[in-house]
């Protein structure tokens, strides 16, 4: 007699949850994904515009467009507006496709593993972009790296993985693009009330987020601006402030013997009173911050090109502007020829007819058309002809 061989007990196979509703199918994923893709495309293009206005390649630096004057306010408002909408769209899209995490077996082939890896990269980079952007507009930086270069670099990762995802999913996207596209046997392709409700809810959520924040750059809707971190009318002289004089370490003592120094072929310096005695220009121009708020204001001051001409600058000259501020990333700024020659580019001395408040850059600041807020240098002390 032989002992009975012990029977092998195979471990129970995990039973994945099953999802049968229409809200997790390819048609819903496509319907939400189209909007999300559009939002990311707008964010990417407007982000590139902002990046290249701030860091132009040397061949383009002299001929950046200074018109329309509100160009940067528009592109940056779109960037932050579509970025906020993308948070809602991304969360709904992830909810729609999360059952894919339970597909068994998780990895079927090398090809399938690569496809899953690209989706992991897509989700991680997209989540990082929208949430790092959100924290940036709230000026909260709970990370050890510098926001701008990392947000810019990860944008390329997100853009690349979105394009790859679209390419991989092209047949499914095509099959589910329109409401009447062919469904599968188990799930006919008509849009049921459940999917319509989801899309309506999504539209309402995106609408609510947009309406309660867009007023920070689109001032006709400023009254609805309940959730944005900035409000157009708040701040000294009815204009928000990103970095106060105190935060920048600019004290009244530093301003006591203030003079504007202009270096060039014919260097000179001017006191505040001498600057006010020069021909003044008034221009209505927006401050448009990278963080998505913008406000139109009436600035008065001396044309930068007049100051450069007086220093004997050649007509094609660019200019380097330096602030009194001691540290800070925006202490020194360069401006190419077309900005420097623009008749609306001012060394501003007044705001809404009053002397600049200390937080707005007293005694003098740069204001130029179609220019990122970070380059509208405050507390200017030195202009150098380049
Ligand atoms: N010297 C200096 N200028 C600066 C800054 C700064 O930090 N230092 N911040 C810039 C930024 S980010 C913006 S949006 C505008 C804000 O201008 P406001 O404070 O006059 O509204 O100033 C710009 N000028
Ligand atoms: Mo800014």
């Amino acid at each position: 007699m032989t002992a009975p061989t012990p029977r092998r007990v195979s471990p129970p196979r995990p039973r994945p949850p099953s999802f049968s509703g229409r809200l997790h199918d390819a048609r819903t994923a496509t319907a939400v994904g189209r909007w999300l893709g559009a939002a990311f495309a707008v964010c990417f293009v407007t982000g590139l515009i902002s990046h290249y206005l701030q860091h132009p390649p040397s061949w383009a630096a002299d001929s950046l467009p200074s018109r329309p004057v509100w160009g940067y306010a528009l592109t940056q408002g779109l960037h932050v507006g579509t970025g906020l909408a993308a948070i809602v769209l991304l969360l709904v899209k992830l909810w729609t496709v999360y059952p894919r995490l339970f597909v068994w077996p998780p990895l079927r082939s090398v090809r399938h593993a690569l496809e899953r890896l690209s989706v992991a990269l897509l989700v991680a980079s997209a989540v990082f972009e929208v949430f790092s952007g959100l924290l940036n507009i709230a000026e909260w930086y709970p990370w050890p790296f510098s926001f701008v270069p990392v947000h810019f670099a990860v944008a390329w990762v997100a853009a690349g993985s979105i394009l790859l995802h679209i390419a991989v999913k092209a047949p499914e996207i095509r099959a589910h693009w329109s409401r009447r596209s062919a469904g599968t046997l188990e799930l006919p392709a008509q849009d049921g009330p459940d999917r319509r409700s989801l899309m309506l809810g999504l539209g309402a959520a995106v609408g609510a987020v947009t309406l309660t924040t867009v007023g920070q750059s689109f001032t006709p809707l400023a009254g609805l601006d309940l959730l944005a971190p900035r409000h157009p009318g708040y701040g000294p002289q009815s204009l928000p402030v990103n970095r106060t004089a105190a935060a920048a370490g600019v004290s009244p003592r530093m301003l006591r013997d203030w003079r504007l120094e202009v270096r060039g072929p014919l260097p000179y310096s001017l006191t505040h009173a001498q600057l006010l005695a020069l021909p003044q220009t008034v221009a209505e121009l927006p401050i448009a911050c990278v963080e998505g708020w913008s406000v139109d204001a009436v600035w008065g001051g001396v044309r930068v090109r007049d100051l450069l001409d007086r220093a004997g600058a050649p007509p094609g000259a660019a200019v380097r502007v330096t602030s009194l501020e001691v540290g800070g990333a925006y202490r020194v700024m360069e401006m190419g020829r077309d900005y420097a020659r623009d008749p609306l580019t001012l060394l501003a001395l007044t705001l809404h007819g009053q002397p600049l408040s200390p937080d707005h850059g007293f005694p003098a600041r740069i204001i130029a058309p179609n220019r990122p807020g970070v380059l509208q240098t405050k507390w200017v002390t030195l202009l150098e002809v380049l």
Side-chain angles (χ1 to χ4, degrees), residues 239-243 287 289 293 323 325 330 359-360 365 373-374 376-379:
L239 206 66
V241 171
N242 248 35
R243 197 165 155 83
I287 285 271
C289 177
W293 58 270
S323 168
E325 189 187 355
Y330 308 124
D359 290 342
H360 287 309
R365 80 171 302 164
V374 290
Q376 310 279 30
T377 311
K378 303 196 271 192
W379 315 291

Side-chain angles (χ1 to χ4, degrees), residues 261-281:
E261 197 187 334
V262 185
R263 289 190 200 143
L266 308 167
Y268 61 90
S269 76
L270 295 172
T271 63
H272 195 227
Q274 288 171 321
L275 274 168
L276 283 168
L278 293 178
Q280 305 286 303
T281 299

